[in-house]
Amino acid sequence: MVQAYRADTENADAGPQPEPRLRALRHRLASDRGIWRRGILLALCSVVLTVVMVYHSDIPNAVGNLGSLIETFLPWFGLLVPVLLILGLVRRSATALIALVLPVAVWLNLFGGLLFADKSGTGGDLTVATHNVNAGNPDPAGTAQQVAGSGADVVALQELPSGKVAAYEDALADRYPHHSVQGTVGLWSKYPVTDSKPVDIKLGWTRAMRATVTTPEGPVKVYVAHLPSVRVKLHAGFTANQRDDSADALGEAIADEPLDRVVLLGDLNGTMNDRSLNAVTAQMRSTQGAAGDGFGFSWPASFPMARIDQIMVRGVEPLASWTLPATDSDHLPIAARVQL
């Protein structure tokens, strides 16, 4: 009897059991009448972000080349999503959180394949590499040897000062018996290089060239180019007119190339998303886009934010594309393996 009495007493003293947390949270949210009205401005920001990513090619370049500037850094617009997510949670806004589905879906459609898929394959007939070595590079020989260490059959270098060309030639002579330097760009190859000549990209001096590389699988026309730099200025916006004119000239030269197999190596000072490079990108494939792992950002080397160094092909099948370790340049070298 004593035990029964004590048990009854304990049950009576326990009182009502606490409501499960999930149920309590659901009740609190359901009773919050402002959950749909709050965060309208945040939801609008999500819609604007979605529109910018979907219609980036329609943003005009008339004022400060704004369209090209947005396209250069378009992948980074995804960073606005977690910011909007946090603000939506702080505001406890269902409207803001649901609206985030739009920019997430668009960003994944545009860049999810680059971020989550490794498209690289095995095999290949030719490995190529390209590097803007930086005119002020304090260690030309070391930089050249690092790029050569990638095992590339063909190496293209840009921004070669006349006073340092000999240093690059000496450093690469053992691995690459064939080479040609035209102006500030050069091409080194394990295979014979013939018919080397400058390509006029409307600058008044030579920053592009082409040559025939005779591989064991047959001839390949290799273009090396360093398009003019672009600048972001407060009073002028994204100044890229000279770069754009050079891109048009380069695209015209490649379009007139009679050889079927073409490889373009160089610093184009623009990304594949930049519509101002359409004269080139519309007729060639990016090895990174077709067979790369990740975004392959190459500039600036200290914290890469954009892939402005490119390997592009026509009549050639990309099998793999990757960035190489940093050198003393402000760009990362990049490489690709292709099937001829």
Side-chain angles (χ1 to χ4, degrees):
M1 293 296 293
V2 174
Q3 290 179 349
Y5 172 78
R6 293 176 63 182
D8 290 342
T9 303
E10 288 172 359
N11 289 336
D13 293 342
Q17 296 298 314
E19 192 176 9
R21 292 184 179 180
L22 184 59
R23 185 183 302 172
L25 176 61
R26 191 186 311 127
H27 176 73
R28 190 159 57 250
L29 292 176
S31 61
D32 185 355
R33 298 181 179 179
I35 194 171
W36 297 104
R37 294 196 297 268
R38 288 192 301 269
I40 299 298
L41 181 59
L42 291 176
L44 182 60
C45 289
S46 292
V47 173
V48 171
L49 177 59
T50 302
V51 170
V52 169
M53 290 192 292
V54 171
Y55 297 104
H56 62 86
S57 60
D58 295 322
I59 298 173
N61 262 342
V63 180
N65 285 292
L66 179 62
S68 288
L69 177 60
I70 289 174
E71 288 168 337
T72 297
F73 299 103
L74 194 60
W76 293 93
F77 277 58
L79 291 181
L80 294 176
V81 170
V83 174
L84 292 173
L85 173 62
I86 293 172
L87 292 176
L89 291 172
V90 170
R91 289 284 291 151
R92 290 187 301 164
S93 167
T95 302
L97 295 177
I98 292 174
L100 272 178
V101 172
L102 295 174
V104 169
V106 170
W107 191 93
L108 289 175
N109 180 63
L110 290 173
F111 305 111
L114 291 174
L115 186 62
F116 301 114
D118 181 358
K119 300 179 288 296
S120 59
T122 59
D125 303 311
L126 187 71
T127 300
V128 298
T130 182
H131 190 26
N132 179 327
V133 296
N134 189 355
N137 193 313
D139 185 17
T143 294
Q145 289 168 358
Q146 278 186 253
V147 179
S150 66
D153 303 303
V154 175
V155 170
L157 301 181
Q158 305 89 49
E159 212 166 295
L160 297 170
S162 57
K164 296 183 180 180
V165 169
Y168 288 102
E169 290 175 330
D170 291 343
L172 296 171
D174 290 341
R175 297 195 187 197
Y176 303 99
H178 311 281
H179 86 282
S180 174
V181 175
Q182 304 285 341
T184 61
V185 297
L187 181 67
W188 279 259
S189 172
K190 294 180 179 179
Y191 308 121
V193 174
T194 58
D195 192 29
S196 178
K197 60 184 66 175
V199 174
D200 183 10
I201 57 173
K202 313 302 182 185
L203 289 176
W205 71 97
T206 301
R207 283 177 45 154
M209 63 172 287
R210 60 185 163 201
T212 301
V213 176
T214 305
T215 75
E217 304 300 323
V220 179
K221 186 67 74 172
V222 178
Y223 282 71
V224 183
H226 181 196
L227 298 188
S229 300
V230 296
R231 298 287 185 269
V232 180
K233 300 179 181 178
L234 291 177
H235 66 283
F238 191 59
T239 58
N241 293 337
Q242 193 176 38
R243 190 278 312 268
D244 299 347
D245 293 341
S246 291
D248 291 341
L250 178 62
E252 184 177 346
I254 294 173
D256 292 339
E257 175 56 53
L259 202 60
D260 292 334
R261 296 187 293 196
V262 179
V263 175
L264 170 62
L265 307 169
D267 173 6
L268 302 190
N269 270 306
T271 67
M272 292 296 295
N273 294 317
D274 190 340
R275 92 286 297 269
S276 295
L277 298 184
N278 279 352
V280 176
T281 58
Q283 58 179 316
M284 306 191 80
R285 298 175 68 192
S286 162
T287 58
Q288 184 67 27
D293 180 12
F295 291 102
F297 293 150
S298 63
W299 177 88
S302 57
F303 187 81
M305 297 182 64
R307 185 180 178 88
I308 63 175
D309 301 276
Q310 306 290 350
I311 299 176
M312 304 178 68
V313 297
R314 187 185 76 190
V316 171
E317 185 64 27
L319 293 180
S321 188
W322 63 96
T323 56
L324 297 170
T327 69
D328 282 318
S329 172
D330 56 338
H331 292 244
L332 293 178
I334 61 175
R337 190 173 64 253
V338 301
Q339 182 78 42
L340 301 179

